[in-house]
Amino acid sequence: MSSRSRALSPQELQAFGRELDALRDEVLADVGEADAAYVRRVRAFMRYSGAAGRGLLFFGLLPPAWLAGTGLLALSKIVDNMELGHNVMHGQYDWMQDPTLHSQTFEWDNVCPADGWRRTHNLTHHTYTNVLGKDRDIGYGLLRVFPEQPWSPANLPQLLYAGGLALVFQWGVAIHDADLGPDGERRPADVARGLAPVAKKAARKLAKDYVVFPLLAGPAAPAVFLGNLTANLVRNVWAFAVIFCGHFTADVEVFPESVLEDESRGHWYVRQLRGSSNLEGGSLFHLLTGNLSHQIEHHLFPDVPARRYAEMAPRVRAICDRYGQHYNTGSFAAQLWSVVKRIATHSLPSFGGSPAPVEA
């Protein structure tokens, strides 16, 4: 596929990398108590909104209480997964030395075990972003979203697959992160070993949302069950939409494995930039996306506290403009529509294309 960015010379790639390194160092030098206070406020909001939501659902036979309780619980789960869990597990707050907010010990409200997420997302996806054959997040092994991916008749109904995946996204991610290996290499024992942590975590989450809390509610048990189910569905669909808008919008590029040979810092930055896209919105919107609305900045600086991305974004864009690099951003509606069009377009066979170069 063609690129909207111009190819950079080796000298330009070095300079591009130096400018982004300097920006990262400048922001990290300023990280401190304000960031710590912020993440503690986010955690408190997640806990209080979740407790309030579950409490209101005990009165869920009254429609206003059910709606408010379900909404607050969905909000709590979204904040837990997006702004808190995802960013904490990236190590953005490890410098606080707080074991409850440390990347290696944090666990989130999601059936995907944190250990699996840290391995496949933090390590595999962020190391091999949009490299075909290496980044397992390209279409999540289910969807053909780039012409460079092979086509098969199974891709024809992939819009339906995508809709189904959105509804059960936490389950899809959990199974995806279990890393069961290539089809031809899977043995029953390997599958069982890979799924064991998922089954253990899922059993706890299912018992909490669909057994314990409904039973505690007595006659309101059906309302609590339905409220928890709806909150999980809302979180799933929201997370799916935000994450797919980060890597599968129009103009996002993929790369061949050869780009990894002797990849410089500048090359790495360019690959992250061209493989990501942003969403425009206000501060509440950014919070609810876990600041993945700044997917470009997140991929350039995954260890910088995400609340800093909004202030970094104009400077990143200015650097990109100087080097002729396309800064992929747009409204949520426009970017999501481009994702839908991409999934629909590549459900059909195409002539393919060559992954874009990153230098002259």
Side-chain angles (χ1 to χ4, degrees), residues 78-343:
I78 286 171
V79 171
D80 174 275
N81 284 191
M82 307 298 281
E83 181 68 341
L84 194 61
H86 170 261
N87 294 328
V88 167
M89 287 192 285
H90 261 293
Q92 295 176 4
Y93 300 96
D94 283 2
W95 53 272
M96 292 170 60
Q97 298 297 313
D98 181 344
T100 65
L101 291 168
H102 196 279
S103 63
Q104 299 306 304
T105 55
F106 192 88
E107 190 59 74
W108 57 356
D109 183 358
N110 192 298
V111 296
C112 176
D115 284 342
W117 177 266
R118 283 187 283 265
R119 181 181 64 255
T120 58
H121 177 79
N122 293 4
L123 180 61
T124 304
H125 171 59
H126 274 267
T127 301
Y128 303 113
T129 306
N130 282 33
V131 175
L132 286 167
K134 301 292 285 186
D135 183 359
R136 298 177 64 245
D137 284 12
I138 299 176
Y140 287 87
L142 180 68
L143 306 173
R144 179 176 183 257
V145 286
F146 292 95
E148 291 85 354
Q149 292 175 272
W151 179 87
S152 78
N155 294 119
L156 286 172
Q158 65 177 13
L159 265 178
L160 295 177
Y161 303 162
L165 179 61
L167 294 175
V168 297
F169 194 53
Q170 66 164 339
W171 294 94
V173 169
I175 294 172
H176 177 69
D177 285 359
D179 195 9
L180 303 179
D183 291 343
E185 299 176 7
R186 293 176 189 168
R187 297 177 302 171
D190 295 333
V191 172
R193 191 179 303 111
L195 289 178
V198 176
K200 185 177 180 181
K201 178 80 182 290
R204 292 199 303 270
K205 304 307 297 181
L206 290 171
K208 179 180 178 181
D209 280 346
Y210 302 118
V211 179
V212 175
F213 275 96
L215 287 177
L216 289 174
V224 172
F225 184 96
L226 183 60
N228 290 346
L229 176 64
T230 304
N232 282 321
L233 286 173
V234 170
R235 183 271 317 278
N236 287 347
V237 173
W238 177 252
F240 170 91
V242 170
I243 291 172
F244 268 57
C245 283
H247 291 296
F248 306 136
T249 58
D251 301 324
V252 166
E253 301 173 23
V254 289
F255 307 90
E257 287 190 37
S258 59
V259 301
L260 300 174
E261 298 171 4
D262 301 320
E263 187 178 49
S264 68
R265 184 70 168 166
H267 281 98
W268 185 85
Y269 274 132
V270 167
R271 179 161 58 81
Q272 303 301 321
L273 169 68
R274 297 187 189 177
S276 306
S277 54
N278 281 6
L279 300 169
E280 297 169 357
S283 56
L284 177 60
F285 177 75
H286 294 317
L287 167 67
L288 295 179
T289 67
N291 276 291
L292 289 179
S293 47
H294 298 103
Q295 188 75 244
I296 291 173
E297 286 70 27
H298 173 60
H299 264 266
L300 296 176
F301 316 111
D303 57 345
V304 172
R307 65 182 290 267
R308 299 285 188 146
Y309 294 156
E311 68 185 63
M312 301 174 81
R315 299 175 67 181
V316 170
R317 187 168 189 169
I319 293 171
C320 292
D321 288 345
R322 283 204 302 278
Y323 288 85
Q325 299 303 295
H326 177 55
Y327 188 87
N328 188 341
T329 186
S331 70
F332 182 45
Q335 296 286 58
L336 184 60
W337 178 238
S338 77
V339 170
V340 173
K341 287 197 293 184
R342 179 182 280 276
I343 294 172

